[in-house]
Amino acid sequence: MQYVVISFLCLAILLYFLLGGADFGAGIIELFTSPKNRSKTRKTMYHAIGPVWEANHMWLIIAIVILFVAFPLIYSTMSIYLHIPLAVMLIGIIARGTAFVFRHYDAVKDQMQEVYNKIFVYSSFITPLFLGIIAGSMLCGQIDTDPHNFVQAYIWGWLNFFSVAVGLFTVALCGFLAAIYLIGECKEEEDKKRFIKKAKFMNVAAVLLGIVVFWAAYSEGVPLVNWVFENPVGLTAVSLASLSLILLWYLLLKGKTKVLRILAGFQVTMILLAISYAHFPNFIRLRNGDAISLYEAIGPEKTVSTLGWALLLGSLLILPFLGYLFYKFQKKEE
């Protein structure tokens, strides 16, 4: 049953990045949109994510519950040594959700609307930034479980070149996903061209920041090149991501947008697979050279078995209704 739990953990992380990341990206797109086009961007964004955006946080909740119940050592390590970026990320989620609701449903339209707008776009940038920083911190090997002072324990584990580079790379990927997803929601050709331009910009930014991530990995001694290029799975994933990128650009230039969402999701999935496969099942690399493995940190067998059955039965209820929710609200009006 441990493989079922681990599979659900990986799936929850992937879906949160693909779906929740695109939601964050919508705010990032708005942040980099000119004032004259922001109202159109918001209208398209509301149609795309308004009905289901809160449901995407379900994947984050599932991942947290799995770590808390089945992998308490990993959960406690992250909660202790990464509590600052975790707190910032959670505050960003709350601030973003609050601003989204108030700027859309507030009965009084006054100057506070501008405040809500700023909170929404900046928290949409900050949240994936710190989500990426947390991910980078778990890979960089800077978390010190035997620190000598506060800064060494709670700051340098996540505030380093590699983690920040991964955070910025995550922001670019989220903006890219959002731009691609929003293209399909445009009814006017002018809006479609605008989002295509945003998708190209975010894709170029992601590629450049990806290079920065490799540079940071080399500087910080993170064996990212070995993980990605020295095993057949990582090399295949990178090759497929590159080929899908070429095809995606070809379709963007031709104005064909029907399969762009699938290609963008596939590309990001391959990137995550290339990075994570080589060091699996290690979940957190520590400064002393050790690593916390999913297999070694797993909880009692009865607890894991109960959680596994709960996830299997729960998915039978949640996934069909979630699919119906997406279908219902994304169905084109006749």
Side-chain angles (χ1 to χ4, degrees):
M1 194 59 73
Q2 67 174 343
Y3 299 109
V4 172
V5 173
I6 292 174
S7 297
F8 269 95
L9 175 62
C10 296
L11 180 64
I13 293 173
L14 174 62
L15 289 178
Y16 185 66
F17 196 94
L18 292 179
L19 301 177
D23 284 357
F24 295 133
I28 296 169
I29 292 297
E30 182 179 337
L31 178 63
F32 291 100
T33 299
S34 61
K36 68 177 183 178
N37 291 321
R38 282 180 184 170
S39 60
K40 290 185 177 180
T41 299
R42 288 168 190 159
K43 184 179 180 180
T44 304
M45 180 182 65
Y46 287 151
H47 176 74
I49 72 171
V52 296
W53 70 282
E54 193 65 36
N56 291 328
H57 292 303
M58 173 187 70
W59 305 114
L60 177 62
I61 295 170
I62 290 175
I64 292 173
V65 170
I66 291 174
L67 290 175
F68 178 79
V69 175
F71 307 98
L73 178 59
I74 293 175
Y75 180 87
S76 61
T77 301
M78 293 178 63
S79 300
I80 293 171
Y81 299 104
L82 299 178
H83 73 275
I84 294 177
L86 280 169
V88 174
M89 186 190 78
L90 293 175
I91 291 172
I93 291 174
I94 295 170
R96 180 179 181 275
T98 303
F100 183 87
V101 171
F102 275 101
R103 77 172 187 169
H104 191 58
Y105 297 108
D106 194 354
V108 179
K109 304 297 181 181
D110 53 16
Q111 294 180 348
M112 284 301 296
Q113 291 297 313
E114 187 60 29
V115 176
Y116 300 145
N117 291 336
K118 290 184 181 297
I119 292 174
F120 177 79
V121 296
Y122 288 119
S123 59
S124 294
F125 182 93
I126 291 172
T127 304
L129 172 65
F130 277 85
L131 178 63
I133 286 176
I134 293 167
S137 303
M138 295 162 63
L139 299 177
C140 69
Q142 295 298 321
I143 295 177
D144 193 345
T145 55
D146 188 24
H148 299 291
N149 53 61
F150 178 89
V151 174
Q152 190 175 351
Y154 305 120
I155 303 297
W156 297 139
W158 59 272
L159 189 57
N160 53 73
F161 185 18
F162 178 77
S163 297
V164 174
V166 174
L168 293 173
F169 178 63
T170 303
V171 170
L173 283 182
C174 289
F176 167 67
L177 285 173
I180 292 294
Y181 291 175
L182 289 172
I183 289 172
E185 301 297 331
C186 297
K187 296 181 178 180
E188 298 181 7
E189 191 64 25
E190 182 181 351
D191 290 338
K192 182 178 293 186
K193 290 180 179 179
R194 186 159 48 85
F195 282 116
I196 289 176
K197 184 177 179 181
K198 294 293 183 185
K200 293 177 181 178
F201 171 79
M202 287 296 175
N203 190 244
V204 171
V207 171
L208 294 177
L209 287 169
I211 296 173
V212 174
V213 169
F214 277 98
W215 174 30
Y218 176 79
S219 301
E220 300 283 345
V222 181
L224 184 61
V225 173
N226 297 339
W227 292 344
V228 173
F229 297 105
E230 292 190 1
N231 72 87
V233 174
L235 192 58
T236 301
V238 169
S239 300
L240 291 174
S242 301
L243 291 173
S244 66
L245 176 61
I246 296 172
L247 179 58
L248 185 143
W249 269 84
Y250 172 79
L251 294 175
L252 281 176
L253 292 173
K254 291 294 184 179
K256 299 178 181 179
T257 60
K258 290 185 178 180
V259 297
L260 287 180
R261 294 180 180 182
I262 297 174
L263 280 175
F266 175 78
Q267 184 183 359
V268 173
T269 301
M270 290 298 101
I271 292 172
L272 295 178
L273 176 62
I275 294 173
S276 60
Y277 178 81
H279 61 86
F280 181 87
N282 293 334
F283 203 79
I284 300 177
R285 298 176 68 242
L286 303 176
R287 188 176 179 81
N288 60 11
D290 294 335
I292 303 178
S293 167
L294 288 170
Y295 295 149
E296 295 175 357
I298 199 164
E301 183 179 350
K302 289 185 177 180
T303 301
V304 174
S305 179
T306 302
L307 176 62
W309 281 112
L311 291 169
L312 288 171
L313 295 175
S315 64
L316 295 178
L317 296 175
I318 294 174
L319 294 180
F321 287 106
L322 185 64
Y324 178 74
L325 185 65
F326 274 95
Y327 166 78
K328 192 67 176 178
F329 283 102
Q330 294 300 312
K331 186 178 180 181
K332 300 297 183 181
E333 295 181 0
E334 297 181 359

